[in-house]
Amino acid sequence: MSHNRAPTDYWGHVSTQDYDHELRSEQRYVDGLYARLDAERARVKGRYSDALGAPVDRMDGGTLVARDVEVRALAKQAARLEVADGGLCFGRLDSVTGERSYIGRIGILDEDKEPLLLDWRAPAARAFYIATAATPEDMRLRRQFHTRGRRIVDFTDEVLGRPSGDERGDAALLAAINAPRGEGMRDIVATIQAEQDEIIRSDHLGVMVIEGGPGTGKTVVALHRVAYLLYTQRKRMERHGVLVIGPNPAFLDHIGRVLPSLGESDVVFMTVGDLVPGLRTTAEEADEVARLKGSLKMLDVLAAAVADRQRLPKDPLPIELSDVTVRIDAETAEWAREEARTSDKPHNEAREVFAEIITYVLTERAIARIGKGWLTRDDRDAWEQLRTNLIDELADHAAFAAALDELWPKLTPQTLLAELYSSPERLRAARADEVLYRADGDAWTVSDVPLLDELVDLLGRDRTADDRAARERNAEAAYAAGVLDLLVSREDLMDDEDHLLAQDLIYAEDLAERFIERDTRELVERAAADRDWTYGHVVVDEAQELSEMDWRVLMRRCPSRSFTVVGDLAQRRSAAGATAWDAMLEPYVPGRWVYRSLSVNYRTPAEIMTVAAALLAEFAPDIRPPDSVRASGVMPWSRRVTDDELPGAVEEFVDDEAQREGTSVVIGPPDVPGAVLPSDTKGLEFDAVLVVDPDRILATGPRGAAELYVALTRATQRLGVLYRDRLPAALSGLA
């Protein structure tokens, strides 16, 4: 196989003159693609402007909706065309029959609908990623462009189907790997490898688990898989959007540009802590508490905590009516409670059942006393009239409302959980472990989020606001119907062309829509603000950190159970996280999940991975480290410093790296100035990494070794270690 920075014929002969000629020829072809892209972009923008400028004063409800749909669709199309400008075409395939295909970010057709550029996700483009010397896929040449803006800087040719050299041409790949890191993750659309492509193009519609060690590209593969699914199943997925769950905001910022760069914008990025809209998590959680809160045992605790708020009165509660005083006793409340509980309604909705039973008993008792001696059930009209009067009186009765609030209060998830945590008595009543106690009940942690989300379903909603909104909508529809009746009643309606024609009249509901403020937010904004939004697909990164309760939340967000799950069990930090994938997934998708692994490390050079692998062998001997695809030629180092020397050594590293192109980071325990925690760097990558006090990272808890493993494998070029007390034995291989 040949890897040349100059063009090659099929026998490997090259020349500088041929190279320059080929480069100019390819540039002309790409210029033509950009000309078509610009023309299409101008056409779409023109249609978008026309749609926005369409007069709305003569549109009915249906036309307005259609206009809004068209505007949104054109806006998305324009956005996809906009991102295609960067690296529009990144290669060419020549078949053994001499046919040429160009591969790029989007598909472009000529006037006869023949492809000038193949979308990288199209089946015909797959050979660009999987063809090798051993399995050429009927291809003879793969050419990969290196571009800057709209200009081709150079290209690399790989002759396929000849049994020489490696199976995969890595010149373009290694160029991308060795390039300095920027502020965010880059897409790999031009350098997808065969094992990655197989995962990206899988048609499995259930849950796919992608496991791989550091640097295997599992995150970016998952994001490209989303782009592929949106390409092949857009109608099914686009309406609901995609949810991407990551470990922290820095990680989400890091990966946030990948999907937009591939033309996909209907994607919501969140951490688990963001899954309850409007909630802010600040407090830290001890491992013991996090493990308990992440366990399914909390389902019984929550159910018991709700049941504890459905009380019976210790003494009868008097309700003084106009003509008689009645009492809510324990026997009546117990009957009402049983009826409400067996209704299978959430707590707040079941309160209506509870109130109906109590109301029935009180009115029966009141009628019997008021009508004693003169009223019988045979006098049905008088009996029911008296009942109606009593029900109306109870509806506005402050003492009755207070009694209902005492026996069956309306609850919010935050109120119930905060009062549970801050009350030893309530914890005992819910048969909960006392470690859950905290004085500040609403100092929310990430571990509280799935519990609060669970309580949304257990409690239901207070329907008062919903009923008020429904009454307003009905009133608007009634008003519109009245207007419609007036229009129809006009005698000259059918005769005078200057007046409204009958077939032009709209339904009252459509007219009412004209009075309702439209929700003009984009899908991403609407989905992020709506706890009940369901997504077409969910990506879960660093999935080994999620608890059993976390998975319940995510499964509610995606009823179709379409997931791409990304993780590495060896890097698990959370005490409540996964120890095996089947334990987390089998309860929800039995037999509907598949496992795929990535074995090649594209990020970490062999010199650094050797050090990290020695640590991995100590704490996870059954897990094989990924094989690094390259060596950097730079040996990682360690240096012992005193307490006084440490600040200067850190500053020296920072100053040295500031003179280089790329990114760097200092990772260490919380009290190291300028250092970030290992957990804050999960999923991130840097050109240079300085790890401080590795022995103290190891000592942070049961998963300290995993934390150190994460820290050591963030570097793409250079790794240094500063230690004060001792260097852990596993790192003895450091220079």
Side-chain angles (χ1 to χ4, degrees):
M1 176 175 297
S2 302
H3 307 299
N4 302 300
R5 282 296 179 186
T8 174
D9 62 23
Y10 297 133
W11 305 107
H13 303 303
V14 299
S15 70
T16 302
Q17 184 178 2
D18 288 342
Y19 174 80
D20 292 339
H21 174 77
E22 283 283 302
L23 186 62
R24 288 193 297 271
S25 175
E26 299 290 26
Q27 184 65 60
R28 284 194 297 271
Y29 191 90
V30 171
D31 288 343
L33 294 176
Y34 273 111
R36 289 184 176 272
L37 174 66
D38 291 340
E40 178 64 9
R41 191 155 44 197
R43 186 186 70 82
V44 171
K45 287 183 177 179
R47 287 183 58 196
Y48 178 78
S49 298
D50 291 344
L52 277 181
V56 299
D57 56 334
R58 301 186 65 176
M59 290 185 181
D60 62 23
T63 309
L64 277 171
V65 171
R67 195 281 301 265
D68 288 349
V69 170
E70 182 184 15
V71 167
R72 289 177 184 271
L74 289 169
K76 289 180 181 179
Q77 189 176 353
R80 292 192 182 103
L81 293 173
E82 201 67 42
V83 299
D85 204 303
L88 173 63
C89 177
F90 41 79
R92 184 186 104 191
L93 271 176
D94 293 3
S95 72
V96 293
T97 61
E99 296 179 357
R100 289 183 177 181
S101 299
Y102 286 83
I103 317 298
R105 273 179 203 282
I106 62 171
I108 295 179
L109 305 177
D110 64 13
E111 292 82 357
D112 299 323
K113 304 300 181 183
E114 293 296 320
L116 296 172
L117 183 67
L118 287 174
D119 190 301
W120 68 274
R121 295 165 288 194
R126 189 176 188 190
F128 187 80
Y129 300 108
I130 66 172
T132 66
T135 55
E137 302 290 324
D138 294 326
M139 296 297 157
R140 201 156 187 188
L141 180 87
R142 172 174 39 226
R143 174 168 289 177
Q144 292 178 287
F145 298 149
H146 174 211
T147 61
R148 185 173 297 119
R150 296 189 170 195
R151 184 172 65 87
I152 302 176
V153 177
D154 55 38
F155 58 81
T156 301
D157 280 350
E158 302 166 45
V159 177
L160 303 168
R162 297 173 63 193
S164 61
D166 298 332
E167 283 196 353
R168 180 71 170 95
D170 290 330
L173 171 66
L174 291 175
I177 291 172
N178 286 312
R181 265 48 191 171
E183 294 181 356
M185 179 178 285
R186 296 168 291 192
D187 66 60
I188 59 168
V189 66
T191 57
I192 294 170
Q193 303 300 288
E195 72 167 357
Q196 298 172 332
D197 186 80
E198 181 181 356
I199 293 171
I200 290 170
R201 295 177 192 267
S202 170
D203 292 325
H204 180 70
L205 298 180
V207 176
M208 173 177 283
V209 175
I210 306 173
E211 184 164 27
T216 53
K218 52 188 179 293
T219 296
V220 74
V221 166
L223 296 176
H224 283 68
R225 173 166 167 74
V226 169
Y228 176 76
L229 290 175
L230 284 167
Y231 177 78
T232 59
Q233 303 174 37
R234 188 169 298 280
K235 288 184 179 179
R236 181 179 73 84
M237 292 178 57
E238 190 173 45
R239 180 181 177 188
H240 294 279
V242 173
L243 173 64
V244 176
I245 295 292
N248 53 59
F251 174 82
L252 295 178
D253 288 342
H254 180 63
I255 69 172
R257 68 180 64 181
V258 174
L259 281 168
S261 76
L262 299 173
E264 305 301 345
S265 57
D266 290 335
V267 183
V268 177
F269 293 89
M270 288 185 178
T271 67
V272 171
D274 300 325
L275 286 169
V276 174
L279 188 75
R280 293 293 176 265
T281 58
T282 56
E284 294 291 330
E285 203 84 271
D287 283 352
E288 181 183 10
V289 180
R291 186 183 297 109
L292 176 58
K293 288 184 178 181
S295 153
L296 294 182
K297 295 176 182 178
M298 287 302 296
L299 294 176
D300 293 333
V301 172
L302 296 177
V306 173
D308 180 52
R309 307 303 293 270
Q310 300 162 357
R311 299 294 185 90
L312 303 179
K314 294 180 179 178
D315 300 307
L317 301 175
I319 307 296
E320 296 183 5
L321 301 174
S322 300
D323 300 316
V324 67
T325 297
V326 290
R327 288 174 173 79
I328 305 175
D329 54 35
E331 183 180 8
T332 299
E334 187 172 17
W335 176 32
R337 184 173 71 175
E338 185 63 22
E339 291 292 325
R341 286 178 175 177
T342 57
S343 70
D344 291 329
K345 293 182 177 181
H347 171 87
N348 288 332
E349 295 175 28
R351 173 185 161 114
E352 296 176 7
V353 178
F354 181 83
E356 286 174 3
I357 299 296
I358 297 292
T359 299
Y360 171 78
V361 172
L362 294 187
T363 55
E364 281 289 304
R365 290 175 179 174
I367 292 171
R369 294 176 62 182
I370 294 171
K372 186 176 181 180
W374 64 271
L375 182 63
T376 67
R377 288 189 182 274
D378 292 336
D379 192 354
R380 185 166 299 175
D381 290 343
W383 190 286
E384 290 305 323
Q385 182 58 52
L386 185 52
R387 181 193 299 280
T388 300
N389 295 339
L390 289 168
I391 290 174
D392 290 343
E393 186 174 357
L394 285 173
D396 296 325
H397 200 289
F400 182 63
L404 290 179
D405 288 341
E406 179 182 342
L407 301 178
W408 199 286
K410 294 178 182 178
L411 296 169
T412 67
Q414 287 89 338
T415 298
L416 184 138
L417 201 57
E419 292 178 353
L420 174 68
Y421 288 155
S422 59
S423 169
E425 294 78 13
R426 293 195 190 280
L427 287 171
R428 285 193 293 270
R431 298 182 296 279
D433 195 305
E434 62 182 11
V435 300
L436 294 179
Y437 172 80
R438 66 186 185 213
D440 189 358
D442 55 4
W444 303 117
T445 69
V446 173
S447 300
D448 292 325
V449 170
L451 307 184
L452 292 166
D453 192 77
E454 191 77 30
L455 284 169
V456 172
D457 287 347
L458 286 176
L459 297 177
R461 289 171 172 76
D462 180 0
R463 297 296 181 186
T464 305
D466 294 340
D467 292 344
R468 186 184 306 113
R471 287 195 298 270
E472 291 174 356
R473 286 195 300 272
N474 290 338
E476 289 161 348
Y479 172 79
V483 174
L484 192 61
D485 288 340
L486 288 173
L487 291 172
V488 173
S489 66
R490 295 185 58 167
E491 294 180 355
D492 58 352
L493 182 62
M494 300 294 295
D495 301 321
D496 190 342
E497 291 183 358
D498 293 333
H499 292 93
L500 191 63
L501 296 177
Q503 61 264 32
D504 292 330
L505 295 175
I506 60 176
Y507 292 105
E509 290 84 355
D510 290 335
L511 187 59
E513 286 242 341
R514 302 291 293 273
F515 298 94
I516 301 174
E517 183 178 352
R518 293 181 177 275
D519 190 345
T520 59
R521 295 175 299 171
E522 294 297 326
L523 180 146
V524 168
E525 190 178 359
R526 287 182 286 129
D530 186 354
R531 180 264 176 188
D532 294 321
W533 190 276
T534 57
Y535 294 88
H537 190 76
V538 176
V539 176
V540 186
D541 209 325
E542 300 294 341
Q544 73 276 358
E545 306 298 342
L546 270 62
S547 70
E548 293 175 313
M549 291 298 294
D550 291 331
W551 279 110
R552 284 180 63 85
V553 180
L554 294 180
M555 291 296 169
R556 280 194 284 270
R557 299 299 193 272
C558 188
S560 65
R561 303 292 194 260
S562 180
F563 281 75
T564 300
V565 177
V566 180
D568 179 11
L569 295 178
Q571 296 186 58
R572 177 177 65 87
R573 173 180 179 267
S574 170
T579 56
W581 298 117
D582 58 349
M584 293 296 187
L585 299 175
E586 198 65 23
Y588 304 103
V589 284
R592 282 195 59 220
W593 67 281
V594 297
Y595 176 87
R596 298 289 183 266
S597 63
L598 294 169
S599 59
V600 179
N601 188 331
Y602 300 101
R603 176 179 68 212
T604 317
E607 296 90 342
I608 296 176
M609 199 62 218
T610 299
V611 176
L615 175 64
L616 181 67
E618 283 198 358
F619 77 92
D622 296 334
I623 298 179
R624 177 182 173 180
D627 299 321
S628 293
V629 77
R630 68 189 174 98
S632 67
V634 179
M635 295 300 296
W637 54 268
S638 65
R639 174 182 160 195
R640 185 171 186 174
V641 294
T642 65
D643 291 347
D644 293 337
E645 293 170 336
L646 178 62
V650 171
E651 185 177 352
E652 180 183 351
F653 167 83
V654 173
D655 290 343
D656 286 347
E657 291 302 327
Q659 308 304 314
R660 305 175 187 263
E661 185 179 4
T663 60
S664 63
V665 69
V666 179
I667 305 175
D671 60 346
V672 174
V676 299
L677 298 175
S679 58
D680 292 334
T681 65
K682 298 200 76 169
L684 306 182
E685 55 184 31
F686 306 88
D687 291 276
V689 172
L690 180 67
V691 178
V692 180
D693 287 339
D695 54 328
R696 293 178 57 205
I697 296 175
L698 278 174
T700 54
R703 301 299 300 171
E707 292 275 81
L708 182 55
Y709 182 63
V710 169
L712 295 173
T713 55
R714 299 306 94 194
T716 66
Q717 302 291 342
R718 300 173 294 281
L719 171 68
V721 174
L722 296 177
Y723 66 98
R724 284 179 281 186
D725 297 326
R726 63 181 183 83
L727 187 67
L731 304 187
S732 59
L734 286 168

